[in-house]
Amino acid sequence: MIKIAVLVKEVPDTWSDRRIDPGTKRVDRDGDVVIDEINEKAVEAALQVKESGGGEVTAVTMGPKNALDAVRKALAMGADAGIHIIDEALGGSDALQTSAALAAALGSRGFDLVIAGNESTDGRTAAVPAMLAERLGLSQATFLRTLTVKDGTVTGERMTDDGHVEVRASLPALVSVTEQIAEARFPNFKGIMAAKKKPVETLGLAELGIAAGDAGGANSWSVVETVAAKPPREGGTIIKDDGTAGQKLADYLASAKLI
Amino acid sequence: MYPISEDQQALVDMVRQFSTESLAPKAAEWDETHHFPVEVLRKAGELGMGAMYSREEFGGAGLSRADAILIFEELAKGDPTIAAYISIHNMVAWMIDAYGTPAQREEWIPSLATMERLGSYCLTEPGAGSDAAALSTRAVRDGDDYVINGTKQFISGAGTSAIYVVMTRTADTGSGGVTAILVPDGTPGLSFGPPEKKMGWHAQPTRAVVFEDVRVPVANRLAEEGDGFGIAMNGLNGGRLNIGACSIGGGQAALDQAVEYVKTRVAFGKPLVAQQSILFELADMDTQLESARTLLARAANALDSDDADKVRLCAMAKRVATDAGFAVANSAIQLHGGYGYLTEYGLERIVRDLRVHQILEGTNEIMRLIVGRSLVGR
């Protein structure tokens, strides 16, 4: 039976107007927040591994109180347990600090496989999985679009700019998965009702053994210097059909390397 | 009752996503082509919607009636017809779960819960609608069998279902002579009338079910001889809540669409929403739905706690909710003007679908009879 940890987080709904607070230079989390879609897919991948060969899935999140909803969603889908890293002092952590906190939480628990989404839809650093693997001393296979675990080995197709490469690693290992990995299942009624009864452990700075002087935005290694709103989209190109519109359209798409 | 619990919110969120993705985009097509989407029902079954308030022992979801009305409202926002069929199916599952022997429950509940097998409920007859106790489909004991003869009318899912819960007459003692019997599909002598042509509910089949010397073992009887009418009436309490919730869901979908429309439609130089009369109309629609929703939640609580007042409250809620849903959907057409009358806008379908909710599970006149009798003690 393999022990799997899946990283999940709450992000502002991609269907809502998302913004970065110009004062704090942090993502504004006051609007609608939902479990990141890529995390649902990572949970699905974990559940499929569990269903194919037995195992136990723990959903792990770091964030304020409502981040627990992402863990609950994973539990409703079928994860067995949850870990919620929550401490006000951790607010504003950068990728290095986040990976340190996750490493402290996961380190001694003997997970065979850690699954993460390749990048979140809010911060989009896409750095935490690799950093976490490094801190935990695990093999890492990132940007996988397929995932198979068999006989102590994880294999998958790693996306590259012009195709994919087949990669494999011995367990214990960390993988990050792309949105192609799987369609996430709906939690069913039983899963939803059972989710509340599943164990969720809460960890703060003390439990993680992180010194207050190393935690949070004030002590982060990286600093966001400025934030600027994306310029509004400029008007598109309009081609008037004088009989050659098809050709012009094809030329335009070709020049943008779309065909 | 309010606010709803965290668990209920999680249920609602899931059902809303299912309804938005799997029902709403297809509702118009299913209506037009008279397609009964069995494959989508199976998907609903996987999510736990086949036996929502049956016990968990044989695969039910173990939810409360208060949970169920929230679920049916969400389903109906996507497609009132499919939501209503799921209600009927759940009533069948619940009857077997509540009144069946362990063997009957073990045989039927698991596959009804997943909706791999579908269920139909057979009470109404060509000559016995509101006066259900006058039903004449007869079951005669013959050794270890019952032999059933008669016709059931307006049966949802007929011809597709795997199991029919049939209210039969085993003694000429009025409501005391009614017995519930399980008749599996494929039993010799069981046949179906042609699909009825009807105003709405096109996405589910409605047919007569005909019994000609249909022979089933006595072991297929649900509870005892003479218990059938009580089972039918208890099942209908929950059915009334569900169908009320389906009307509220349909009405809410129509109201939401109308609100968007009046914000963008311009007449006399300004958006419709700038006219106070339009706001008043929207307010009335919203208030009707919210009043109905509140009464429905109260009735569901009464049924969950087996309150002495449950029959009266379920009857009131059914009447208020089905009237409100229909009135609101009809008003949404009016607010859309000529566009509301077009099939493309989807509102006329909602009105057609919701119209029958005022008739079935006990007509709204019978609901008033129940409430009136409870006042004067008759």
Side-chain angles (χ1 to χ4, degrees), chain A residues 40 69 72-73 185-190 192-193 196-197, chain B residues 7 10-11 14-15 17 46-49 59-60 63 71:
Chain A
E40 287 185 17
D69 289 346
R72 292 255 177 254
K73 181 78 188 277
R185 69 191 65 185
F186 277 98
N188 64 21
F189 289 161
K190 276 184 201 164
I192 291 170
M193 301 308 278
K196 265 220 168 136
K197 299 178 191 110
Chain B
D7 280 347
L11 296 172
M14 182 272 266
V15 178
Q17 194 182 347
E46 282 172 26
L47 300 176
M49 297 183 201
L63 301 180
I71 292 165

Side-chain angles (χ1 to χ4, degrees), chain B residues 343-357:
Chain B
T343 303
E344 190 189 336
Y345 280 71
L347 295 168
E348 58 87 32
R349 174 177 53 77
I350 295 176
V351 169
R352 285 189 286 107
D353 287 344
L354 296 190
R355 181 62 184 85
V356 76
H357 297 191

